[in-house]
Amino acid sequence: MAAPKVAVVGAGVVGLSTALCIVETCPSCSVTVISDQFSPNTTSDVAAGILIPHTYPGTPIHVQKQWFKETFAYLFAISNSAEASEAGIHLVSGWQVFKNTPKEELPFWSDAVLGFRPMSEAELRKFPQHQFGQAFTTLKCDCPSYLLWLEKRLKATGVQMYTRKVTDLWELHSEYNIVVNCAGIGAHQLVGDQKLFPVRGQVLKVHAPWVKNFIRDGDGLTYIYPGIHRVTLGGTREKESWSLSPDPGTTKDIFDRCCSLEPSLRGAQDIKVKVGLRPSRRCVRLQREDLSQGGVKLPVVHNYGHGAGGFSVHRGTAKEAARLVGECIAALQGSSSRAKL
Ligand code: FAD
């Protein structure tokens, strides 16, 4: 069989990192990324990009932990290299604070981040409305920089990128041997997945270079994540809302909530408002499927539905998707050699 031709649909963090893992694990493959939007116009561009896992109720915890550890190790190595600033990856220390002590004082990812420990009484004095907290160091992506860095690496290995909306995965069967579906919330329409729903998130990106530590309220709704260029202030989680229009009332509410955690933000400048739709599902859809029409088969690997935690687990799920692509190639090679007999 000639070099297998693989199309990856989607150019968010999941599509680009999956394409990269496929190139790394199958250098003989010819990989093409097809997407109707590229950076800076994807959901991944809107994200805060902090590595703090979200829990997928339909995925075993040990699997989620493995995805997170692989992603953390990959980005930690970048943060510790000469590429760090171009890739937009850096370490950031801070606090997750709770108004009431949570049931689980040790989250499943506590030993995957760095220096996880309960906050001291003295540290908690910074947060008079909170009675419990966790201090740790994690990684943060400057999302548009990271996406451009991934695109650059892909182009350097010869990966082609085309702007095109795919209306049906089957339309790719005449040109490609394998299709990888990384369409994020777009998969709702593309493959009619009714289990996939949007969770709208509105955030503010502000200029406040004196804020150096992250602060996250344990309820997950209010957060302050300093990045290389801007500080991301969040947020909202609006299930089943498809609106991409910023809401001015929500902007004020987010700003006030963040200022109550970090009063110095009252001096923040150049406030930009962004909205994104988290591609949410009980579990990430990471599986093979064979499409077939009139006796012709098209192997598909799905990798979408990362919800609120796509950056936190992207490398782990991309590796697994690349492994599934390897299985599809082995199956194709098996059937083509059987056909020759
Ligand atoms: P996307 O980035 O949406 O990419 C999907 C791609 O598919 C796009 O390029 C799109 O154009 C393309 N596409 C879709 N349909 C088609 C089609 N029919 N034909 C061709 N192309 C198509 N996660 C974290 O881990 N940490 C955070 O701090 C964090 N903060 C967030 C804050 C907000 C406000 C939001 C909204 C999300 C946040 N997330 C965070 C979640 C994270 O953004 C997502 O999980 C992640 O971006 C999903 O990536 P994706 O590549 O699957 O989707």
Side-chain angles (χ1 to χ4, degrees), residues 10-14 35-37 43-44 47-50 164 166 183 307-312:
V13 70
V14 173
S35 190
D36 61 348
Q37 299 290 342
T43 304
S44 299
I50 195 93
R164 164 174 163 189
V166 179
F311 276 85
S312 305

Side-chain angles (χ1 to χ4, degrees), residues 260-273:
S260 82
L261 279 176
E262 178 53 65
S264 73
L265 282 169
R266 288 276 167 216
Q269 289 183 337
D270 190 19
I271 300 173
K272 295 209 162 54
V273 187

Side-chain angles (χ1 to χ4, degrees), residues 54-64 67 195 197 280-287 305:
H54 147 90
T55 305
Y56 303 99
T59 305
I61 288 292
H62 73 273
V63 174
Q64 303 185 44
W67 291 343
K195 293 184 187 148
F197 57 91
S280 301
R281 229 174 163 270
R282 268 180 61 74
C283 58
V284 176
R285 186 171 183 203
L286 194 41
Q287 61 179 197

Side-chain angles (χ1 to χ4, degrees), residues 9-16 34-38 41-52 56 164-167 182-187 190 199-203 223 225 232 236 274-279 303-313:
V9 179
V13 70
V14 173
L16 297 178
I34 300 171
S35 190
D36 61 348
Q37 299 290 342
F38 284 82
N41 300 317
T42 69
T43 304
S44 299
D45 287 279
V46 175
I50 195 93
L51 265 73
I52 299 178
Y56 303 99
R164 164 174 163 189
K165 185 173 171 81
V166 179
T167 50
C182 303
I185 195 65
L190 182 60
V199 176
R200 180 182 181 278
Q202 182 165 322
V203 287
Y223 50 81
Y225 295 139
T232 304
T236 64
K274 303 269 179 195
V275 177
L277 305 179
R278 300 177 181 92
N303 185 14
Y304 66 83
H306 295 68
F311 276 85
S312 305
V313 296

